[in-house]
Structures are given as structure tokens and as C-alpha cells.
Amino acid sequence: MKGLPRYAPMLATAGVIPGNDSQWNYEVKFDGVRAIGYIDSDLRLMSRNDKNITAAWPELAGLAPSDPPFVVDGEIVTFAADGRSSFEALQPRMHQRNPAAIRALVSSVPATYMIFDLLHIGDRSLIDLPYQQRRELLEQLDLRGPNWQTPARLNGSGAAVLEESRRLGLEGIVCKRVDSPYSPGRRSPLWIKVKNIRDQEVVIVGWRPGAGRRAGQIGSLLMAVHDDTGELTYIGNVGTGFTQAMLADLHAKLKPLQRNTAPVAAPVADAVWVEPTLVGEVTFTEWTGDGRLRHPSWRGLRPDKESRDVKLPE
């Protein structure tokens, strides 16, 4: 891999369907783990927070070798029986690093690498080329295999494409300007993500003990995000969306992080506070006037995200 330069992923801004369809292409927004793939004599996968995650996804190793070598951007997903990407099904794979356990999970929860951009090939960087040209070059590579593919671009107007994605129960779409370069590590308005559901990454700052069926367990998680000044701001608690396995896993991960003082100002008398290092994701209906999430529901941990990057929405 020595000859391939490192690239940080380009990020999309949240927004609405742009006005001029002729200037934009549309893609499905997949619900998984972002990964930059370096394909040479072997495969290396790097996460959004620049961690080597290759060992977690052995079924993708067949992408290599390649001559010339190349670098791609994509999303690692798992699919439910109805054909939709399933973040819940992906959860056991995201945390696992034990080789024997990974091998067992590959057969029961296989992953697919959905490759949507080509950043480099041979000795040439492609990031300054417009999206349309990069995409055409990617499609010429014909990357189709048992656990990887290049998903098709979506035909039709942006409004119609979004409505169809909603009908199919998909997370949403990504709108990409046909003339946009690839801007590593930047969140750019030239890529716009339009979601059918509202979600928010959150920093776990503590939990409240459970009662009744959850006695002795976590009742709800206390959530925070960083404000414009970089300070943690409390945004409420989430107590739904958990399985028993999730609760047990969260308890095991949070117990060593316990602390005596609150990492954030929050009116919670019975809180068990923790170091604000773990990141999760929730869905919700809206923001309240006092800066809380209304009706949040837990989706899962995000080990591919750093707590310092979890911020209030733009």
C-alpha cells in the first residue's frame, strides 16, 4: 500500500432536494459504516475516524489484488430479508475483533461494500475530476463480486427519487453535483443528504438506573452533543429501542467509564455519570424549544465516530 496516498472521506451536508435536476445525480443513502478502500496487493479498509477496520470484514478481501492499484469510497452495509440495509443487523459486526467470532458472523450476517466513488487509480489522483467523470471511471472498473458492488445512480427528478426512497422504506438519498470535485475530510454543500427519518449522533454522558423489568439494568441513556464553542450540551435521555443484548453490551462498556462528577450540566438527580467517550445514534421526531430531542429511539453505538465530532446539527 505504500504507493497509495491516504484520503479522508468527503462528507455531505444535511439539506433539501436542490432545484436544478440537470446539475445533480442521486444515490441511495445507505445505513452502514463508511470506509475508504485501498486495493493493491491486498485490501485495506479505513474508517471515517481513520482506524484500520480491515480485519472486521474478511469477506471483502477478494477485492484485491489489483494492478493498477486504486482507492475507492463506499459504505459497508448488511441487508435485511426485505433487501433494505439494516443498521441493527450491522451492530454485532461493528464491535467484533475476535477472529473466530468474526468468521462465525460472516456466514450469518454477511456484509456488502457499496462502492460509490473512485479517488485514485495507478499513480493518478482523481479527486480534482468532477463527480460525473469519477463515477464513469468507477463504473468502467465493473466492481461486482459476492460482497461488493457499485450501486446504480437513481433516475428521475430529485423529488420523485426521494418519494420512491420513502415508499421503499429507505433512509434517504444523497444528491451530488455532477461537477463537484472530491474534497477529502470536508463537509461540502456539493453533496447533500436528504433523509426520510431524522437521526442524530450523540455522546453518552451517563445513564439512569432502570425499574420494573429493567431493575438492575440501564433504564435510559443520557445524551449530549458539542455546541458551537465545543462544550458538551445535554439534549435529553433515550429509553426505547434497546434489545436485552444491547443493554447488556452497553452496561459492560459503560461500567469502566464511570465517574463521580457530571461531564455536562443536566437536571438528572439519579444519574450514573460516565466519561464522554462513547458515541451512539438515535432517531427522533423533532428538537424541542429547550434543545432536547423529542421521542428519541436508540439505534446503536457508532464506534466509527469520535465523540469530539458529535455536534449540533447545522
Side-chain angles (χ1 to χ4, degrees):
M1 294 300 169
K2 293 181 180 178
L4 291 173
R6 294 283 280 273
Y7 294 98
M10 178 175 173
L11 304 175
T13 58
V16 298
I17 296 293
N20 189 341
D21 286 318
S22 66
Q23 296 178 357
W24 297 83
N25 270 189
Y26 306 107
E27 300 176 0
V28 170
K29 187 182 186 307
F30 291 102
D31 203 4
V33 174
R34 187 78 175 273
I36 301 292
Y38 299 81
I39 298 92
D40 196 343
S41 56
D42 55 11
L43 169 70
R44 184 177 66 201
L45 293 166
M46 302 298 294
S47 70
R48 176 175 155 178
N49 54 353
D50 202 35
K51 293 182 179 178
N52 191 323
I53 58 172
T54 313
W57 314 101
E59 64 267 54
L60 307 184
L63 267 166
S66 176
D67 185 15
F70 59 93
V71 182
V72 292
D73 189 2
E75 193 95 356
I76 300 172
V77 303
T78 55
F79 289 104
D82 60 6
R84 291 180 289 179
S85 57
S86 170
F87 187 72
E88 181 179 349
L90 192 67
Q91 283 284 301
R93 298 292 308 270
M94 293 173 67
H95 309 296
Q96 190 55 253
R97 293 298 181 267
N98 179 279
I102 290 171
R103 287 194 295 272
L105 285 168
V106 167
S107 59
S108 60
V109 192
T112 301
Y113 190 24
M114 307 299 282
I115 301 167
F116 51 68
D117 215 322
L118 179 64
L119 314 186
H120 194 103
I121 189 163
D123 59 1
R124 183 187 178 191
S125 174
L126 306 180
I127 62 174
D128 291 331
L129 294 180
Y131 162 84
Q132 182 81 14
Q133 192 171 346
R134 295 196 314 275
R135 181 73 196 208
E136 290 170 355
L137 290 169
L138 172 63
E139 290 168 359
Q140 289 173 23
L141 288 179
D142 195 25
L143 298 177
R144 289 182 292 176
N147 295 93
W148 56 89
Q149 60 177 281
T150 299
R153 287 176 280 177
L154 306 175
N155 297 318
S157 70
V161 167
L162 181 63
E163 178 56 34
E164 180 67 5
S165 76
R166 184 180 295 114
R167 187 187 70 80
L168 294 173
L170 302 178
E171 185 184 8
I173 64 173
V174 181
C175 316
K176 297 182 177 180
R177 275 278 298 239
V178 295
D179 58 353
S180 61
Y182 190 96
S183 302
R186 285 188 53 207
R187 190 174 295 281
S188 171
L190 298 176
W191 286 12
I192 301 173
K193 56 185 177 182
V194 186
K195 296 184 177 182
N196 295 317
I197 59 171
R198 302 188 73 177
D199 57 34
Q200 175 66 45
E201 293 164 6
V202 299
V203 179
I204 302 172
V205 293
W207 80 83
R208 298 183 67 185
R213 289 184 302 168
R214 287 196 190 170
Q217 303 179 63
I218 292 172
S220 64
L221 296 175
L222 308 179
M223 307 176 292
V225 296
H226 291 94
D227 63 18
D228 292 339
T229 70
E231 294 295 316
L232 276 173
T233 300
Y234 179 67
I235 59 170
N237 66 301
V238 55
T240 62
F242 302 101
T243 65
Q244 286 299 316
M246 285 179 178
L247 290 170
D249 180 60
L250 283 164
H251 191 269
K253 286 181 167 61
L254 291 171
K255 189 173 182 180
L257 300 177
Q258 285 184 220
R259 53 184 281 173
N260 295 325
T261 58
V264 65
V268 186
D270 59 348
V272 179
W273 301 110
V274 299
E275 295 293 337
T277 56
L278 289 185
V279 175
E281 187 173 297
V282 298
T283 60
F284 67 104
T285 56
E286 63 180 347
W287 288 91
T288 66
D290 59 352
R292 304 288 194 260
L293 297 185
R294 189 184 301 279
H295 302 140
S297 181
W298 183 251
R299 300 196 71 205
L301 286 170
R302 296 299 315 227
D304 56 328
K305 307 293 175 70
E306 298 287 349
S307 61
R308 64 176 179 270
D309 297 326
V310 176
K311 301 176 182 178
L312 285 168
E314 300 172 351

